[in-house]
């Protein structure tokens, strides 16, 4: 676990909120699954309707409030102080669970069905404030770590709640144990919520009116205003579509194709949930606590790959019936278990950057409404997943593995779409990973790189990998000024064009003027532009003179100038320490290097000579 996640789990800004949301998801699943298990094994005279109808009604009634009340909850969340709103929602949970305790003890299953609808309502009210609170309580560089922990906690809570429900339902006097458990966990969630720090309203000037239909239309309209937000919402909802399909089909898949019992179903659920939890934490580590959208298409490809592997690893011959111990120790099933775990890990990596991006992009006054729109789309896609399963399994008479294969194929199309939309971020992440295999990189003072707005980055030039290393260091896309001979190579030209590379040729005045115009325009548009002012790789490890064109660029910009230095790269395979780069065989593997940035300098207060001195001082004696 990283220092950031450890610090969050010991911080009052996050820990009480984390415990509150954990108990919320945990209690939801204890209550819902205990009720469904008691109904499934109850005698016919205890139910006014059939158990099959009851279970289907329960599934619909729990999800219905997300359609009805998510939008109104989003509006309310933006208008109220959030910690008090959370406490009120948790008090409502205590009231509902108190009534549920009476319902369990008295075997009032129809009343419990109504309370399941109210519990769904409570969850729908909590959804927007759950994610809208994080950007107010956490620093920008903590937001991705916070979301990773939230997703980890949510899926662990779902798993533990489902497993505990099975234990409760199988014990004598299960109704009394269930009654005490759901009330106890509701109280625990409320007590934790009392320690959540204040989070002021982001739209206090607005007045709330109970108009759910109007609020729903307004919320969906707000979500559609930003194409990136809408696309992010739809991609997250696709994740819940897949998750709902897998989780719904696991019982029958285990029984009919793996010949396992109820314990085997719990084992598959455990692998899937633990995988998502591990993937969420791994995403935080891979992306260095920032939104790394290049991870999303790769994780999506992984979901299709391991979803396909899940189906193809089903053994041809298995014993007709297996107890739990025999099931998990059957070596023929281990490849399937591994694919399921990796499927969950890819799911965790897939979802965390998307939630964080949505929180960052949404306007603070409308953030909760954007999250509410997400909840509506999530509910809609989960309903569609049930309809798809009915069509494929009942009408078309396909088998469950066929449904899983169809899901993997559709998801492959989603992955191709994401690669098309984010090719540069994905390629940058892959190449940065390769660079980390070659070097052990340390980053210093990168907080000087602005989170928004234009800036001109000036850096020494040691190897052919310099642009890649700087690109990996920056949380934002950098547009590099590159020698035209390289920028126009046929094989890489399309990629460099998408990356916004600015070609320049020192011997052609026309390309120089065009490059200067592009640089000025990019800086005015708030982009980061990097120049290697030496104009070529160093031939002796020292920083050469800066070309005079840098002074012209500085004179025509009001953006800050940020000196940076690359240290430890001289002598590497991609430098000219042997006369030319990439000569012979590499002799240094995993060498230590460093990327360091200096505070921004006002363009009007500096020139090329001073900037060269700044870069030289940053680099020091470590070539």
């Amino acid at each position: 676990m990283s220092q950031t996640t450890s610090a969050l789990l010991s911080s009052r800004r996050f820990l009480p909120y984390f415990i509150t949301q954990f108990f919320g998801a945990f209690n939801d699943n204890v209550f819902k699954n205990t009720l469904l298990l008691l109904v499934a094994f109850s005698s016919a005279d205890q139910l006014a309707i059939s158990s099959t109808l009851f279970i289907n009604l329960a599934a619909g009634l729990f999800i219905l409030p997300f359609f009805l009340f998510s939008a109104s909850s989003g509006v309310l969340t933006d208008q109220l102080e959030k910690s008090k709103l959370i406490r009120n929602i948790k008090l409502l949970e205590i009231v509902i669970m108190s009534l549920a305790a009476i319902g369990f003890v008295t075997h009032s299953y129809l009343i419990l069905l109504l309370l399941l609808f109210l519990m769904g309502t409570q969850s729908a009210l909590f959804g927007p404030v759950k994610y809208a609170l994080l950007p107010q309580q956490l620093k920008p560089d903590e937001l991705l770590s916070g979301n990773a922990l939230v997703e980890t906690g949510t899926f662990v809570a779902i798993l533990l709640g489902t497993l505990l429900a099975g234990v409760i339902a199988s014990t004598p006097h299960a109704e009394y144990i269930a009654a005490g458990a759901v009330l106890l966990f509701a109280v625990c969630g409320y007590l934790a919520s009392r320690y959540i720090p204040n989070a002021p309203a982001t739209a206090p000037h607005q007045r709330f009116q109970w108009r759910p239909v109007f609020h729903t239309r307004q919320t969906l309209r707000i979500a559609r205003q930003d194409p990136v937000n809408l696309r992010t919402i739809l991609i997250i909802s696709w994740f819940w579509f897949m998750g709902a399909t897998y989780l719904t089909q696991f019982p029958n898949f285990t029984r009919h194709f793996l010949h396992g019992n109820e314990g085997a179903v719990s084992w598959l659920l455990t692998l899937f949930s633990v995988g998502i939890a591990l993937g969420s934490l791994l995403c935080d580590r891979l992306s260095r606590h920032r939104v790394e959208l290049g991870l999303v298409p790769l994780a999506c490809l992984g979901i299709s790959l391991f979803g396909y592997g899940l189906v193809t690893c089903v053994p041809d011959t298995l014993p007709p019936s297996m107890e739990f111990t025999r099931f998990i120790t059957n070596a023929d099933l281990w490849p399937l278990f591994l694919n399921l775990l990796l499927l969950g890990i890819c799911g965790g990596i897939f979802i965390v950057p998307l939630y964080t991006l949505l929180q960052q992009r949404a306007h603070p006054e409308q953030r909760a409404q954007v999250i509410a729109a997400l909840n509506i789309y999530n509910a809609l896609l989960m309903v569609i997943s049930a309809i798809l399963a009915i069509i494929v399994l009942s009408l078309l008479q396909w088998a469950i593995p066929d449904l899983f294969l169809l899901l993997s194929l559709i998801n492959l199309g989603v992955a191709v779409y994401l690669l098309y939309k984010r090719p540069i971020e994905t390629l940058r992440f892959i190449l940065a990973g390769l660079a980390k295999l070659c070097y052990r990189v340390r980053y210093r003072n990168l907080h000087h790189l602005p989170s928004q707005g234009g800036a001109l980055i000036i850096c020494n030039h040691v190897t052919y990998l310099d642009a890649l290393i700087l690109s990996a260091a920056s949380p934002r896309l950098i547009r590099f000024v590159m020698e035209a001979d390289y920028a126009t190579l046929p094989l890489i030209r399309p990629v460099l064009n998408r990356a916004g590379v600015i070609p320049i040729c020192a011997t052609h005045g026309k390309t120089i003027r065009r490059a200067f115009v592009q640089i000025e325009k990019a800086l005015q548009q708030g982009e980061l532009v990097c120049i290697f002012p030496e104009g070529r790789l160093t031939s002796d490890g020292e920083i050469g003179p800066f070309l005079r064109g840098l002074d012209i660029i500085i004179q025509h910009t009001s953006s800050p100038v940020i000196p940076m230095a690359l240290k430890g790269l001289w002598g590497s395979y991609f430098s000219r320490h042997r006369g030319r780069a990439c000569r012979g065989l590499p002799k240094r593997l995993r060498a230590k290097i460093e990327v360091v940035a200096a505070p921004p300098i006002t363009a009007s207060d500096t020139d090329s000579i001073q900037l060269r001195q700044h870069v030289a001082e940053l680099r020091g004696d470590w070539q």
Side-chain angles (χ1 to χ4, degrees):
M1 189 175 291
S2 68
Q3 283 187 322
T4 304
T5 53
S6 299
L8 286 177
L9 287 174
S10 61
S11 168
R12 190 187 167 190
R13 292 180 295 117
F14 183 78
L15 181 60
Y17 156 84
F18 177 79
I19 296 174
T20 300
Q21 69 87 26
F22 177 90
F23 273 111
F26 179 66
N27 208 22
D28 274 356
N29 283 273
V30 171
F31 172 58
K32 180 177 65 174
N33 290 296
T34 302
L35 173 60
L36 296 181
L37 288 170
L38 291 177
V39 166
F41 293 97
S42 64
S43 59
D45 59 352
Q46 290 181 308
L47 292 174
I49 58 177
S50 71
S51 61
T52 301
L53 178 59
F54 187 100
I55 291 172
N56 288 329
L57 281 174
L61 286 174
F62 188 79
I63 203 169
L64 181 60
F66 289 91
F67 290 106
L68 298 179
F69 307 124
S70 288
S72 297
S73 175
V75 174
L76 195 63
T77 298
D78 284 329
Q79 295 175 8
L80 297 178
E81 194 276 314
K82 293 177 180 60
S83 66
K84 183 178 180 180
L85 177 60
I86 291 176
R87 288 192 289 273
N88 289 335
I89 293 173
K90 302 311 286 185
L91 282 174
L92 175 62
E93 182 181 348
I94 292 176
V95 173
I96 296 171
M97 290 298 100
S98 299
L99 297 174
I102 298 173
F104 276 125
V105 172
T106 60
H107 297 246
S108 302
Y109 288 117
L110 290 182
I111 299 298
L112 288 170
L113 194 62
L114 173 62
L115 293 175
L116 189 63
F117 172 80
L118 294 179
M119 198 62 182
T121 301
Q122 184 264 346
S123 297
L125 294 175
F126 185 63
V129 68
K130 170 182 175 179
Y131 286 106
L133 178 75
L134 280 179
Q136 287 185 251
Q137 301 285 43
L138 304 184
K139 301 173 185 176
D141 60 349
E142 296 174 329
L143 189 56
L144 187 113
S145 300
N147 276 288
L149 287 172
V150 168
E151 295 308 310
T152 299
T154 298
F155 279 91
V156 170
I158 292 172
L159 170 64
L160 295 180
T162 303
L163 296 179
L164 181 60
V167 173
I168 292 174
S170 62
T171 57
H173 309 294
E175 295 85 353
Y176 294 93
I177 298 174
V182 295
L183 185 56
L184 173 63
F185 298 141
V187 171
C188 290
Y190 170 73
L191 292 176
S193 72
R194 293 187 60 85
Y195 294 92
I196 297 175
N198 283 359
T202 53
H205 55 279
Q206 298 180 14
R207 182 181 176 184
F208 180 79
Q209 293 179 327
W210 180 249
R211 301 169 63 188
V213 175
F214 170 78
H215 289 156
T216 299
R217 291 176 179 173
Q218 173 184 274
T219 295
L220 295 178
R221 184 173 64 251
I222 289 172
R224 290 193 298 266
Q225 287 175 353
D226 186 338
V228 175
N229 278 349
L230 180 60
R231 185 163 58 244
T232 304
I233 286 172
L234 292 175
I235 296 169
I236 293 174
S237 297
W238 168 248
F239 168 82
W240 287 103
F241 177 98
M242 291 188 294
T245 304
Y246 278 114
L247 294 177
T248 302
Q249 302 306 323
F250 274 168
N252 284 333
F253 176 65
T254 306
R255 179 184 175 187
H256 296 298
F257 295 93
L258 305 182
H259 304 168
N261 58 12
E262 293 84 352
V265 176
S266 298
W267 173 247
L268 295 188
L269 175 64
T270 299
L271 288 173
F272 189 65
S273 301
V274 168
I276 291 178
L278 291 175
S280 299
L281 294 176
L282 181 60
C283 174
D284 181 39
R285 191 172 188 85
L286 290 173
S287 57
R288 302 199 345 262
H289 319 303
R290 69 194 192 197
V291 176
E292 183 57 77
L293 294 179
L295 270 171
V296 177
L298 298 176
C300 196
L301 285 172
I303 291 172
S304 284
L305 174 64
F306 298 119
Y308 174 78
L310 176 69
V311 175
T312 56
C313 287
V314 176
D316 294 329
T317 57
L318 284 170
S321 179
M322 286 185 285
E323 295 299 323
F324 176 70
T325 302
R326 190 179 178 190
F327 181 83
I328 64 173
T329 56
N330 190 321
D332 291 338
L333 290 172
W334 289 354
L336 183 144
F337 297 158
L338 178 61
N339 274 278
L340 183 57
L341 179 66
L342 293 172
L343 174 64
I345 288 174
C346 289
I349 296 173
F350 179 80
I351 199 69
V352 170
L354 296 173
Y355 269 112
T356 309
L357 175 66
L358 197 63
Q359 292 165 341
Q360 288 179 340
R361 284 191 64 91
H363 192 280
E365 293 186 359
Q366 299 175 334
R367 185 180 289 128
Q369 294 177 73
V370 173
I371 300 298
L374 170 64
N375 289 342
I376 294 172
Y377 277 103
N378 285 349
L380 177 61
L381 266 290
M382 284 190 280
V383 170
I384 294 175
S385 75
I387 295 173
L388 176 67
I390 292 171
I391 293 173
V392 171
L393 301 179
S394 299
L395 297 182
L396 299 180
Q397 295 292 309
W398 289 12
I400 293 175
D402 297 328
L403 174 61
F404 288 170
L405 284 176
L406 176 64
L407 204 63
S408 295
L409 183 61
I410 298 173
N411 185 71
L412 182 61
V414 175
V416 171
Y417 170 77
L418 292 174
L419 285 170
Y420 171 76
K421 298 300 292 186
R422 296 286 181 182
I424 300 307
E425 290 89 340
T426 305
L427 182 62
R428 184 182 73 164
F429 179 81
I430 294 172
L431 294 178
L434 293 175
K436 289 179 182 178
L437 292 176
C438 300
Y439 304 108
R440 287 175 288 169
V441 188
R442 180 187 177 192
Y443 303 102
R444 288 179 50 208
N445 300 328
L446 296 189
H447 61 277
H448 293 310
L449 296 175
S451 58
Q452 56 185 359
L456 182 65
I457 298 172
I458 305 300
C459 188
N460 59 318
H461 201 10
V462 189
T463 74
Y464 285 121
L465 297 184
D466 292 352
L468 173 60
I469 293 169
L470 289 176
S471 181
S474 172
R476 296 171 57 193
L477 183 68
I478 300 176
R479 295 189 63 178
F480 290 91
V481 180
M482 182 179 290
E483 172 59 44
D485 289 343
Y486 300 116
T488 56
L489 289 174
L491 291 178
I492 63 173
R493 181 177 179 180
V495 176
L496 296 181
N497 286 340
R498 290 290 295 268
V501 165
I502 300 173
I504 191 170
C505 180
T507 59
H508 292 81
K510 187 177 180 180
T511 64
I512 294 174
R513 290 190 294 272
R514 187 187 302 121
F516 285 178
V517 170
Q518 287 182 273
I519 293 169
E520 184 178 353
K521 183 178 179 181
L523 292 172
Q524 289 175 350
Q525 292 176 343
E527 297 180 280
L528 297 180
V529 177
C530 179
I531 299 176
F532 298 108
E534 297 165 85
R536 59 192 179 96
L537 298 185
T538 177
S539 58
D540 56 5
E542 298 299 328
I543 299 175
F546 284 5
L547 299 177
R548 62 185 183 87
L550 178 61
D551 289 308
I552 300 174
I553 295 171
I554 293 173
Q555 291 170 8
H556 290 83
T557 184
S558 58
S559 299
V561 182
I562 302 176
M564 294 188 70
L566 297 168
K567 307 168 71 171
L569 281 167
W570 178 249
S572 73
Y573 183 67
F574 299 97
S575 68
R576 288 180 171 170
H577 77 292
R578 295 180 181 177
R580 61 182 178 85
C582 305
R583 185 176 183 179
L585 295 175
K587 293 185 178 180
R588 292 172 52 187
L589 293 176
R590 301 287 295 157
K592 291 182 179 180
I593 66 171
E594 190 171 281
V595 181
V596 58
I601 301 171
T602 303
S604 58
D605 294 340
T606 189
D607 57 28
S608 59
I609 297 176
Q610 294 179 19
L611 286 172
R612 184 183 179 280
Q613 292 174 345
H614 280 298
V615 173
E617 290 172 2
L618 274 179
R619 197 207 62 178
D621 296 329
W622 187 13
Q623 295 180 330

